[in-house]
mmCIF file with all atom_site columns, all heavy atoms in Angstrom:
data_model
loop_
_atom_site.group_PDB
_atom_site.id
_atom_site.type_symbol
_atom_site.label_atom_id
_atom_site.label_alt_id
_atom_site.label_comp_id
_atom_site.label_asym_id
_atom_site.label_entity_id
_atom_site.label_seq_id
_atom_site.pdbx_PDB_ins_code
_atom_site.Cartn_x
_atom_site.Cartn_y
_atom_site.Cartn_z
_atom_site.occupancy
_atom_site.B_iso_or_equiv
_atom_site.pdbx_formal_charge
_atom_site.auth_seq_id
_atom_site.auth_comp_id
_atom_site.auth_asym_id
_atom_site.auth_atom_id
_atom_site.pdbx_PDB_model_num
ATOM 1  N N   . LEU A 1 476 ? 6.870  -14.871 -20.925 1.00 96.00 ? 476 LEU A N   1
ATOM 2  C CA  . LEU A 1 476 ? 6.831  -15.710 -19.771 1.00 96.00 ? 476 LEU A CA  1
ATOM 3  C C   . LEU A 1 476 ? 6.009  -16.963 -20.043 1.00 96.00 ? 476 LEU A C   1
ATOM 4  O O   . LEU A 1 476 ? 4.904  -16.861 -20.667 1.00 96.00 ? 476 LEU A O   1
ATOM 5  C CB  . LEU A 1 476 ? 6.195  -15.050 -18.617 1.00 96.00 ? 476 LEU A CB  1
ATOM 6  C CG  . LEU A 1 476 ? 6.335  -15.582 -17.141 1.00 96.00 ? 476 LEU A CG  1
ATOM 7  C CD1 . LEU A 1 476 ? 7.822  -15.729 -16.811 1.00 96.00 ? 476 LEU A CD1 1
ATOM 8  C CD2 . LEU A 1 476 ? 5.553  -14.779 -16.150 1.00 96.00 ? 476 LEU A CD2 1
ATOM 9  N N   . LYS A 1 477 ? 6.578  -18.142 -19.769 1.00 96.00 ? 477 LYS A N   1
ATOM 10 C CA  . LYS A 1 477 ? 5.812  -19.289 -20.089 1.00 96.00 ? 477 LYS A CA  1
ATOM 11 C C   . LYS A 1 477 ? 4.643  -19.511 -19.161 1.00 96.00 ? 477 LYS A C   1
ATOM 12 O O   . LYS A 1 477 ? 4.533  -19.040 -17.929 1.00 96.00 ? 477 LYS A O   1
ATOM 13 C CB  . LYS A 1 477 ? 6.721  -20.596 -19.970 1.00 96.00 ? 477 LYS A CB  1
ATOM 14 C CG  . LYS A 1 477 ? 7.206  -20.956 -18.587 1.00 96.00 ? 477 LYS A CG  1
ATOM 15 C CD  . LYS A 1 477 ? 8.036  -22.167 -18.537 1.00 96.00 ? 477 LYS A CD  1
ATOM 16 C CE  . LYS A 1 477 ? 8.402  -22.590 -17.174 1.00 96.00 ? 477 LYS A CE  1
ATOM 17 N NZ  . LYS A 1 477 ? 9.223  -23.876 -17.153 1.00 96.00 ? 477 LYS A NZ  1
ATOM 18 N N   . GLU A 1 478 ? 3.516  -20.171 -19.604 1.00 95.00 ? 478 GLU A N   1
ATOM 19 C CA  . GLU A 1 478 ? 2.375  -20.429 -18.785 1.00 95.00 ? 478 GLU A CA  1
ATOM 20 C C   . GLU A 1 478 ? 2.728  -21.246 -17.623 1.00 95.00 ? 478 GLU A C   1
ATOM 21 O O   . GLU A 1 478 ? 3.625  -22.078 -17.565 1.00 95.00 ? 478 GLU A O   1
ATOM 22 C CB  . GLU A 1 478 ? 1.350  -21.168 -19.624 1.00 95.00 ? 478 GLU A CB  1
ATOM 23 C CG  . GLU A 1 478 ? 0.459  -20.306 -20.592 1.00 95.00 ? 478 GLU A CG  1
ATOM 24 C CD  . GLU A 1 478 ? -0.549 -19.455 -19.869 1.00 95.00 ? 478 GLU A CD  1
ATOM 25 O OE1 . GLU A 1 478 ? -0.739 -19.626 -18.632 1.00 95.00 ? 478 GLU A OE1 1
ATOM 26 O OE2 . GLU A 1 478 ? -1.167 -18.633 -20.582 1.00 95.00 ? 478 GLU A OE2 1
ATOM 27 N N   . SER A 1 479 ? 1.973  -21.011 -16.450 1.00 94.00 ? 479 SER A N   1
ATOM 28 C CA  . SER A 1 479 ? 2.196  -21.748 -15.256 1.00 94.00 ? 479 SER A CA  1
ATOM 29 C C   . SER A 1 479 ? 1.742  -23.203 -15.449 1.00 94.00 ? 479 SER A C   1
ATOM 30 O O   . SER A 1 479 ? 0.707  -23.490 -16.145 1.00 94.00 ? 479 SER A O   1
ATOM 31 C CB  . SER A 1 479 ? 1.306  -21.105 -14.139 1.00 94.00 ? 479 SER A CB  1
ATOM 32 O OG  . SER A 1 479 ? 1.646  -19.764 -13.951 1.00 94.00 ? 479 SER A OG  1
ATOM 33 N N   . GLU A 1 480 ? 2.636  -24.146 -14.949 1.00 92.00 ? 480 GLU A N   1
ATOM 34 C CA  . GLU A 1 480 ? 2.368  -25.531 -15.151 1.00 92.00 ? 480 GLU A CA  1
ATOM 35 C C   . GLU A 1 480 ? 1.136  -26.002 -14.253 1.00 92.00 ? 480 GLU A C   1
ATOM 36 O O   . GLU A 1 480 ? 0.421  -26.885 -14.628 1.00 92.00 ? 480 GLU A O   1
ATOM 37 C CB  . GLU A 1 480 ? 3.590  -26.381 -14.840 1.00 92.00 ? 480 GLU A CB  1
ATOM 38 C CG  . GLU A 1 480 ? 4.701  -26.115 -15.830 1.00 92.00 ? 480 GLU A CG  1
ATOM 39 C CD  . GLU A 1 480 ? 5.939  -26.966 -15.456 1.00 92.00 ? 480 GLU A CD  1
ATOM 40 O OE1 . GLU A 1 480 ? 5.900  -27.721 -14.511 1.00 92.00 ? 480 GLU A OE1 1
ATOM 41 O OE2 . GLU A 1 480 ? 7.019  -26.795 -16.145 1.00 92.00 ? 480 GLU A OE2 1
ATOM 42 N N   . VAL A 1 481 ? 0.987  -25.363 -13.097 1.00 92.00 ? 481 VAL A N   1
ATOM 43 C CA  . VAL A 1 481 ? -0.068 -25.648 -12.111 1.00 92.00 ? 481 VAL A CA  1
ATOM 44 C C   . VAL A 1 481 ? -0.851 -24.402 -11.891 1.00 92.00 ? 481 VAL A C   1
ATOM 45 O O   . VAL A 1 481 ? -0.244 -23.361 -11.545 1.00 92.00 ? 481 VAL A O   1
ATOM 46 C CB  . VAL A 1 481 ? 0.514  -26.198 -10.797 1.00 92.00 ? 481 VAL A CB  1
ATOM 47 C CG1 . VAL A 1 481 ? -0.637 -26.634 -9.888  1.00 92.00 ? 481 VAL A CG1 1
ATOM 48 C CG2 . VAL A 1 481 ? 1.290  -27.509 -11.162 1.00 92.00 ? 481 VAL A CG2 1
#
Side-chain angles (χ1 to χ4, degrees):
L476 193 60
K477 68 176 183 179
E478 280 285 353
S479 300
E480 295 179 3
V481 181

